[in-house]
Amino acid sequence: MNTAAPSAQSSAVSSVSPAARPVILSIQSHVAWGYVGNSAAVFALQRLGFEVLQVHTVLFSNHTGYGQFRGQILSAEHIREILAGLRERGALHQVGAVLSGYLGNADTGAAILDAVNDIRQANPQLRYLCDPVMGDVGRGLFVNPAIPDFLRDQAIPFANIITPNQFEFELLSGTKLTSTEEAVAVARQMRGRGPDTIVITSLATPDIAADQLGTLAVNGQGAWLVTTPRIDLHPLPNGMGDVFAATLLGRLMDGRPLPEALELATATLYSLVKGTLAGSRDLPLVAAQAQLIEPAARFAARQVA
């Protein structure tokens, strides 16, 4: 595995001054114990220097990876009330990016899209990153059955950036990927439906070495693949996609070009997973928070056809 040295400008240094940084609205799950959804993404974005408005779609004692949990899925009406309060304070018009993840139900998704539309009226440059949380290899689908249709038909065309894992991308596209070349082609077709940038995580097509995992990013300028060593950890911690999506968005909002943002977000996640204790279901987000700013490893983004 080849690694590339960090650029002359340290990844810890922003290319956008802190005073110029926009507020980020993050709408996803929250747990009292552990690091998934907003419990992971908000801290990551704050460590990167962003103010974050937090709106929770569920309130659970812990994430579902532990098996048993308590709490509730919050109603779409509740989400709309929180967003209405933020709108009345003028907070939504300070938002430069929206991040959404685990929805709970499709009605909540509709409330999110209404908020995105409202913010876009004031800020046409708004970036909306939709992490279409639905399932994963080995676990299958773990959301309300109405959510995949909502994401495919409504949210994805509305988003600027999407970050599905391979399982979710195949579900959204109706395609079983057999190569990175095919993944690029299908992603380019999906771009025609709305999103400018598509990032596929946990890519394990047959042309990627068995001891590697890929992360593929496709936009209008090109396609780039980062591969990292597989980490032999069972179980893998929850919240990996949440941290990746938040870190990627933060780097993009800092003005990083997509290949560099991809390298940094992938390196951060790899370093956090590598530092996870065997048997833990959570990333060491606080203990290893330095990895959010300056990841220990850096893996090169290779341009692909």
Coordinates of all heavy atoms in Angstrom, one line a residue, residues 156-226:
I156 N -31.8 11.8 -2.7 CA -30.6 11.8 -3.6 C -30.7 12.9 -4.7 O -29.7 13.6 -4.9 CB -30.4 10.4 -4.2 CG1 -30.2 9.4 -3.1 CG2 -29.2 10.4 -5.1 CD1 -29.2 9.7 -2.0
P157 N -31.8 13.0 -5.4 CA -31.8 14.1 -6.4 C -31.7 15.5 -5.8 O -31.3 16.5 -6.5 CB -33.2 13.9 -7.0 CG -33.6 12.5 -6.8 CD -33.0 12.2 -5.4
F158 N -32.0 15.6 -4.5 CA -31.9 16.9 -3.8 C -30.6 17.3 -3.3 O -30.3 18.5 -3.0 CB -33.0 16.9 -2.7 CG -33.6 18.2 -2.4 CD1 -34.5 18.8 -3.3 CD2 -33.4 18.9 -1.2 CE1 -35.1 20.0 -3.1 CE2 -34.0 20.2 -1.0 CZ -34.9 20.7 -1.9
A159 N -29.7 16.3 -3.1 CA -28.4 16.5 -2.4 C -27.3 16.9 -3.4 O -27.4 16.7 -4.6 CB -28.0 15.1 -1.8
N160 N -26.3 17.6 -2.8 CA -25.1 17.9 -3.6 C -24.1 16.8 -3.5 O -23.3 16.6 -4.4 CB -24.5 19.2 -3.0 CG -25.4 20.4 -3.0 OD1 -26.0 20.7 -2.0 ND2 -25.6 21.0 -4.2
I161 N -24.0 16.2 -2.3 CA -23.0 15.1 -2.0 C -23.8 14.0 -1.4 O -24.6 14.2 -0.5 CB -21.9 15.7 -1.1 CG1 -21.4 17.0 -1.6 CG2 -20.9 14.6 -0.9 CD1 -20.6 17.8 -0.5
I162 N -23.4 12.8 -1.8 CA -23.9 11.6 -1.1 C -22.8 10.7 -0.8 O -21.8 10.6 -1.5 CB -25.0 10.8 -1.9 CG1 -24.5 10.3 -3.2 CG2 -26.2 11.7 -2.2 CD1 -25.4 9.4 -4.0
T163 N -22.9 9.9 0.4 CA -21.8 9.1 0.8 C -22.3 7.7 1.2 O -22.1 7.3 2.3 CB -21.1 9.7 2.0 OG1 -22.1 10.0 3.1 CG2 -20.4 11.0 1.6
P164 N -22.9 7.0 0.3 CA -23.3 5.6 0.6 C -22.1 4.6 0.7 O -21.1 4.8 0.1 CB -24.2 5.2 -0.6 CG -23.5 6.0 -1.8 CD -23.1 7.3 -1.1
N165 N -22.3 3.6 1.5 CA -21.3 2.5 1.4 C -21.7 1.6 0.2 O -22.7 1.9 -0.5 CB -21.3 1.7 2.7 CG -22.6 1.1 3.1 OD1 -23.4 0.6 2.3 ND2 -22.9 1.0 4.4
Q166 N -20.9 0.6 -0.1 CA -21.2 -0.1 -1.3 C -22.6 -0.8 -1.3 O -23.3 -0.8 -2.3 CB -20.1 -1.2 -1.5 CG -20.3 -2.0 -2.8 CD -19.2 -3.0 -3.1 OE1 -18.1 -2.8 -2.6 NE2 -19.5 -4.0 -3.9
F167 N -23.0 -1.3 -0.1 CA -24.3 -2.0 0.0 C -25.4 -1.0 -0.3 O -26.3 -1.2 -1.1 CB -24.4 -2.5 1.4 CG -25.8 -3.0 1.7 CD1 -26.1 -4.4 1.5 CD2 -26.8 -2.2 2.3 CE1 -27.4 -4.9 1.8 CE2 -28.1 -2.7 2.5 CZ -28.4 -4.1 2.3
E168 N -25.3 0.3 0.2 CA -26.3 1.3 0.0 C -26.3 1.8 -1.4 O -27.3 2.1 -2.0 CB -26.0 2.4 1.0 CG -26.3 2.0 2.4 CD -25.7 2.9 3.5 OE1 -24.7 3.7 3.1 OE2 -26.1 2.9 4.6
F169 N -25.1 1.9 -2.0 CA -25.0 2.4 -3.4 C -25.6 1.4 -4.3 O -26.3 1.8 -5.3 CB -23.5 2.6 -3.8 CG -23.3 3.2 -5.2 CD1 -23.6 4.5 -5.5 CD2 -22.9 2.3 -6.2 CE1 -23.4 5.0 -6.7 CE2 -22.7 2.8 -7.5 CZ -23.0 4.1 -7.8
E170 N -25.4 0.1 -4.1 CA -26.0 -0.9 -4.9 C -27.5 -0.9 -4.8 O -28.3 -1.1 -5.7 CB -25.4 -2.3 -4.6 CG -24.0 -2.4 -5.0 CD -23.3 -3.7 -4.7 OE1 -23.9 -4.4 -3.7 OE2 -22.3 -4.1 -5.2
L171 N -28.0 -0.6 -3.6 CA -29.4 -0.6 -3.3 C -30.0 0.6 -4.0 O -31.1 0.6 -4.6 CB -29.7 -0.5 -1.8 CG -31.1 -0.7 -1.3 CD1 -31.6 -2.1 -1.7 CD2 -31.2 -0.5 0.2
L172 N -29.4 1.8 -4.0 CA -29.9 3.0 -4.6 C -29.8 2.9 -6.2 O -30.7 3.4 -6.9 CB -29.0 4.2 -4.2 CG -29.1 4.6 -2.8 CD1 -28.1 5.7 -2.4 CD2 -30.5 5.2 -2.5
S173 N -28.8 2.2 -6.7 CA -28.6 2.2 -8.2 C -29.2 0.9 -8.8 O -29.4 0.9 -10.0 CB -27.1 2.2 -8.5 OG -26.4 1.0 -8.0
G174 N -29.5 -0.1 -8.0 CA -30.1 -1.3 -8.5 C -29.0 -2.1 -9.3 O -29.3 -2.9 -10.2
T175 N -27.7 -1.9 -9.0 CA -26.6 -2.5 -9.7 C -25.7 -3.3 -8.7 O -25.4 -2.7 -7.7 CB -25.8 -1.5 -10.4 OG1 -26.6 -0.7 -11.3 CG2 -24.7 -2.1 -11.2
K176 N -25.3 -4.5 -9.1 CA -24.3 -5.2 -8.3 C -23.0 -4.9 -8.9 O -22.7 -5.3 -10.0 CB -24.6 -6.7 -8.3 CG -23.7 -7.6 -7.5 CD -24.0 -7.3 -6.0 CE -23.1 -8.3 -5.2 NZ -23.3 -8.0 -3.7
L177 N -22.1 -4.2 -8.2 CA -20.8 -3.8 -8.7 C -19.9 -4.9 -8.9 O -19.7 -5.7 -8.0 CB -20.2 -2.7 -7.8 CG -21.1 -1.4 -7.6 CD1 -20.3 -0.5 -6.7 CD2 -21.4 -0.7 -9.0
T178 N -19.2 -5.0 -10.0 CA -18.2 -6.0 -10.3 C -16.8 -5.4 -10.5 O -15.8 -6.2 -10.6 CB -18.6 -6.8 -11.5 OG1 -18.6 -5.9 -12.7 CG2 -19.9 -7.5 -11.4
S179 N -16.6 -4.1 -10.5 CA -15.3 -3.5 -10.7 C -15.4 -2.0 -10.3 O -16.5 -1.4 -10.3 CB -14.9 -3.6 -12.1 OG -15.7 -2.8 -13.0
T180 N -14.3 -1.4 -10.0 CA -14.2 0.0 -9.8 C -14.6 0.8 -11.0 O -15.3 1.9 -10.9 CB -12.8 0.5 -9.3 OG1 -11.9 0.1 -10.2 CG2 -12.5 -0.1 -7.9
E181 N -14.3 0.3 -12.2 CA -14.7 0.9 -13.4 C -16.2 1.0 -13.6 O -16.7 2.1 -13.9 CB -14.1 0.2 -14.6 CG -14.4 0.8 -16.0 CD -13.8 0.1 -17.2 OE1 -13.2 -1.0 -16.9 OE2 -13.9 0.5 -18.3
E182 N -16.9 -0.1 -13.2 CA -18.3 -0.1 -13.2 C -18.9 0.9 -12.2 O -19.8 1.6 -12.4 CB -18.9 -1.5 -13.0 CG -20.4 -1.5 -13.1 CD -20.9 -2.9 -12.8 OE1 -20.2 -3.7 -12.2 OE2 -22.0 -3.2 -13.3
A183 N -18.2 0.9 -11.0 CA -18.7 1.8 -10.0 C -18.6 3.3 -10.4 O -19.6 4.1 -10.2 CB -17.9 1.6 -8.7
V184 N -17.5 3.6 -11.1 CA -17.4 5.0 -11.7 C -18.5 5.3 -12.7 O -19.2 6.3 -12.7 CB -16.0 5.2 -12.3 CG1 -16.0 6.5 -13.1 CG2 -14.9 5.1 -11.3
A185 N -18.8 4.3 -13.6 CA -19.8 4.5 -14.6 C -21.2 4.7 -14.0 O -21.9 5.6 -14.4 CB -19.8 3.3 -15.6
V186 N -21.5 3.9 -13.0 CA -22.8 3.9 -12.4 C -22.9 5.2 -11.6 O -24.0 5.9 -11.6 CB -23.1 2.7 -11.5 CG1 -24.4 2.8 -10.8 CG2 -23.1 1.4 -12.3
A187 N -21.9 5.6 -10.9 CA -21.9 6.9 -10.2 C -22.1 8.1 -11.1 O -22.8 9.0 -10.8 CB -20.6 7.1 -9.4
R188 N -21.5 8.0 -12.3 CA -21.7 9.1 -13.3 C -23.1 9.2 -13.8 O -23.7 10.2 -14.0 CB -20.7 9.0 -14.4 CG -19.3 9.4 -14.0 CD -18.2 9.2 -15.1 NE -17.0 9.8 -14.7 CZ -15.8 9.4 -15.1 NH1 -15.7 8.3 -16.0 NH2 -14.7 10.0 -14.7
Q189 N -23.7 8.0 -13.9 CA -25.1 8.0 -14.3 C -26.0 8.6 -13.2 O -26.9 9.4 -13.4 CB -25.6 6.5 -14.6 CG -25.0 5.9 -15.8 CD -25.3 4.5 -16.0 OE1 -26.0 3.9 -15.1 NE2 -24.9 3.9 -17.1
M190 N -25.7 8.2 -11.9 CA -26.4 8.8 -10.8 C -26.3 10.3 -10.7 O -27.2 11.0 -10.2 CB -26.0 8.1 -9.5 CG -26.9 8.3 -8.3 SD -26.5 7.4 -6.8 CE -27.0 5.7 -7.4
R191 N -25.1 10.8 -11.0 CA -24.9 12.2 -11.0 C -25.9 13.0 -11.9 O -26.3 14.1 -11.6 CB -23.5 12.6 -11.5 CG -22.4 12.3 -10.5 CD -21.0 12.9 -10.9 NE -21.1 14.4 -10.9 CZ -21.1 15.2 -11.9 NH1 -21.1 14.7 -13.2 NH2 -21.1 16.5 -11.8
G192 N -26.4 12.3 -12.9 CA -27.4 12.9 -13.8 C -28.7 13.1 -13.1 O -29.5 13.8 -13.6
R193 N -28.9 12.4 -12.0 CA -30.2 12.6 -11.2 C -30.1 13.7 -10.2 O -31.1 14.0 -9.6 CB -30.5 11.3 -10.5 CG -30.7 10.1 -11.5 CD -30.9 8.8 -10.7 NE -31.9 9.0 -9.6 CZ -31.9 8.2 -8.5 NH1 -31.0 7.3 -8.3 NH2 -32.8 8.5 -7.6
G194 N -28.9 14.4 -10.1 CA -28.9 15.5 -9.1 C -27.6 15.7 -8.4 O -27.1 16.8 -8.4
P195 N -27.1 14.7 -7.6 CA -25.9 15.0 -6.8 C -24.7 15.3 -7.6 O -24.4 14.6 -8.6 CB -25.8 13.7 -6.0 CG -26.5 12.7 -6.8 CD -27.6 13.4 -7.5
D196 N -23.9 16.3 -7.2 CA -22.7 16.6 -8.0 C -21.6 15.6 -7.6 O -20.8 15.3 -8.5 CB -22.3 18.0 -7.6 CG -20.9 18.4 -8.3 OD1 -20.9 18.5 -9.5 OD2 -19.9 18.5 -7.5
T197 N -21.5 15.2 -6.3 CA -20.4 14.4 -5.8 C -21.0 13.2 -5.2 O -21.8 13.2 -4.3 CB -19.6 15.2 -4.8 OG1 -19.1 16.4 -5.4 CG2 -18.4 14.4 -4.3
I198 N -20.4 12.0 -5.6 CA -20.8 10.7 -5.1 C -19.6 10.1 -4.5 O -18.6 9.9 -5.2 CB -21.5 9.8 -6.1 CG1 -22.8 10.5 -6.6 CG2 -21.7 8.4 -5.6 CD1 -23.4 9.8 -7.8
V199 N -19.6 9.7 -3.3 CA -18.5 9.0 -2.6 C -19.0 7.6 -2.1 O -20.0 7.6 -1.3 CB -17.9 9.8 -1.4 CG1 -16.8 9.1 -0.8 CG2 -17.5 11.2 -1.9
I200 N -18.4 6.6 -2.6 CA -18.8 5.2 -2.2 C -17.7 4.7 -1.2 O -16.5 4.6 -1.6 CB -18.9 4.3 -3.4 CG1 -19.8 4.9 -4.5 CG2 -19.4 2.9 -3.0 CD1 -19.7 4.1 -5.8
T201 N -18.1 4.3 0.0 CA -17.2 3.8 1.0 C -17.3 2.3 1.1 O -18.2 1.7 0.5 CB -17.5 4.4 2.4 OG1 -18.8 4.0 2.8 CG2 -17.5 6.0 2.3
S202 N -16.3 1.7 1.8 CA -16.3 0.3 2.0 C -16.4 -0.5 0.7 O -17.1 -1.5 0.6 CB -17.4 -0.2 3.0 OG -17.2 0.4 4.2
L203 N -15.7 0.0 -0.4 CA -15.8 -0.6 -1.7 C -14.9 -1.8 -1.7 O -13.7 -1.8 -1.4 CB -15.3 0.4 -2.7 CG -15.6 0.0 -4.2 CD1 -17.0 -0.1 -4.5 CD2 -14.9 1.1 -5.1
A204 N -15.5 -3.0 -2.1 CA -14.7 -4.2 -2.1 C -15.1 -5.0 -3.4 O -15.5 -6.2 -3.3 CB -15.0 -5.0 -0.9
T205 N -14.9 -4.4 -4.5 CA -15.1 -5.0 -5.8 C -14.0 -6.0 -6.1 O -12.9 -5.9 -5.5 CB -15.2 -4.0 -6.9 OG1 -14.1 -3.1 -6.8 CG2 -16.5 -3.2 -6.8
P206 N -14.2 -7.0 -6.9 CA -13.2 -8.1 -7.2 C -11.8 -7.5 -7.6 O -10.8 -8.2 -7.4 CB -13.8 -8.9 -8.2 CG -15.3 -8.8 -8.0 CD -15.5 -7.3 -7.6
D207 N -11.8 -6.3 -8.2 CA -10.5 -5.8 -8.7 C -9.7 -5.1 -7.6 O -8.6 -4.6 -7.8 CB -10.7 -4.9 -9.9 CG -11.6 -3.7 -9.6 OD1 -12.5 -3.9 -8.7 OD2 -11.5 -2.7 -10.3
I208 N -10.3 -5.0 -6.4 CA -9.5 -4.5 -5.2 C -9.0 -5.6 -4.4 O -9.7 -6.6 -4.1 CB -10.5 -3.6 -4.4 CG1 -10.9 -2.3 -5.2 CG2 -9.8 -3.2 -3.1 CD1 -11.9 -1.4 -4.5
A209 N -7.7 -5.6 -4.1 CA -7.1 -6.7 -3.3 C -7.9 -7.0 -2.1 O -8.5 -6.2 -1.4 CB -5.7 -6.3 -2.9
A210 N -7.9 -8.3 -1.8 CA -8.7 -8.8 -0.7 C -8.3 -8.2 0.7 O -9.2 -8.2 1.6 CB -8.6 -10.3 -0.6
D211 N -7.1 -7.8 0.8 CA -6.6 -7.2 2.1 C -6.8 -5.7 2.1 O -6.2 -5.0 2.9 CB -5.2 -7.6 2.4 CG -4.2 -7.1 1.3 OD1 -4.6 -6.6 0.3 OD2 -3.0 -7.2 1.6
Q212 N -7.5 -5.1 1.1 CA -7.7 -3.7 1.0 C -9.2 -3.3 1.0 O -10.0 -4.2 0.6 CB -7.0 -3.1 -0.3 CG -5.6 -3.5 -0.4 CD -4.7 -2.6 0.4 OE1 -4.8 -1.3 0.3 NE2 -3.8 -3.1 1.2
L213 N -9.5 -2.1 1.3 CA -10.8 -1.5 1.1 C -10.7 -0.2 0.3 O -9.7 0.5 0.5 CB -11.5 -1.2 2.5 CG -12.3 -2.4 3.1 CD1 -12.9 -1.9 4.4 CD2 -13.4 -2.9 2.2
G214 N -11.6 0.0 -0.5 CA -11.6 1.3 -1.3 C -12.6 2.3 -0.9 O -13.7 2.0 -0.4
T215 N -12.3 3.5 -1.2 CA -13.2 4.6 -1.1 C -13.1 5.4 -2.4 O -12.1 5.9 -2.7 CB -12.9 5.6 0.1 OG1 -12.8 4.8 1.3 CG2 -14.0 6.6 0.3
L216 N -14.2 5.5 -3.1 CA -14.3 6.1 -4.4 C -15.1 7.4 -4.4 O -16.2 7.4 -3.9 CB -14.9 5.1 -5.4 CG -15.1 5.5 -6.9 CD1 -13.7 5.6 -7.6 CD2 -16.0 4.6 -7.6
A217 N -14.5 8.4 -5.0 CA -15.2 9.7 -5.1 C -15.3 10.1 -6.6 O -14.3 10.0 -7.4 CB -14.4 10.8 -4.4
V218 N -16.5 10.5 -7.0 CA -16.7 10.9 -8.4 C -17.5 12.2 -8.4 O -18.5 12.4 -7.7 CB -17.6 9.8 -9.1 CG1 -17.9 10.2 -10.6 CG2 -17.0 8.4 -9.0
N219 N -16.9 13.2 -9.2 CA -17.6 14.4 -9.4 C -17.5 14.8 -10.9 O -17.0 14.0 -11.7 CB -17.2 15.5 -8.5 CG -15.8 16.0 -8.7 OD1 -15.1 15.6 -9.7 ND2 -15.3 16.9 -7.9
G220 N -17.8 16.0 -11.3 CA -17.8 16.4 -12.7 C -16.4 16.6 -13.2 O -16.2 16.7 -14.4
Q221 N -15.4 16.6 -12.3 CA -14.0 16.8 -12.7 C -13.2 15.5 -12.9 O -12.2 15.5 -13.5 CB -13.2 17.7 -11.7 CG -13.6 19.2 -11.8 CD -15.0 19.5 -11.4 OE1 -15.3 19.1 -10.2 NE2 -15.8 20.1 -12.2
G222 N -13.7 14.4 -12.3 CA -13.0 13.2 -12.4 C -13.4 12.2 -11.3 O -14.5 12.4 -10.7
A223 N -12.6 11.1 -11.2 CA -12.9 10.1 -10.2 C -11.6 9.7 -9.5 O -10.6 9.6 -10.2 CB -13.5 8.9 -10.9
W224 N -11.7 9.5 -8.2 CA -10.5 9.2 -7.5 C -10.7 8.0 -6.5 O -11.8 7.9 -5.9 CB -10.0 10.4 -6.7 CG -9.6 11.5 -7.5 CD1 -8.4 11.8 -8.0 CD2 -10.5 12.6 -8.0 NE1 -8.4 13.0 -8.7 CE2 -9.7 13.4 -8.8 CE3 -11.9 12.8 -7.9 CZ2 -10.2 14.5 -9.4 CZ3 -12.4 13.9 -8.6 CH2 -11.6 14.8 -9.3
L225 N -9.8 7.1 -6.4 CA -9.9 6.0 -5.5 C -8.8 6.0 -4.4 O -7.6 6.2 -4.8 CB -9.8 4.7 -6.3 CG -9.8 3.4 -5.5 CD1 -11.2 3.1 -4.9 CD2 -9.4 2.2 -6.4
V226 N -9.2 5.9 -3.2 CA -8.2 5.7 -2.1 C -8.4 4.3 -1.6 O -9.5 3.8 -1.3 CB -8.5 6.7 -0.9 CG1 -7.6 6.4 0.3 CG2 -8.2 8.1 -1.4

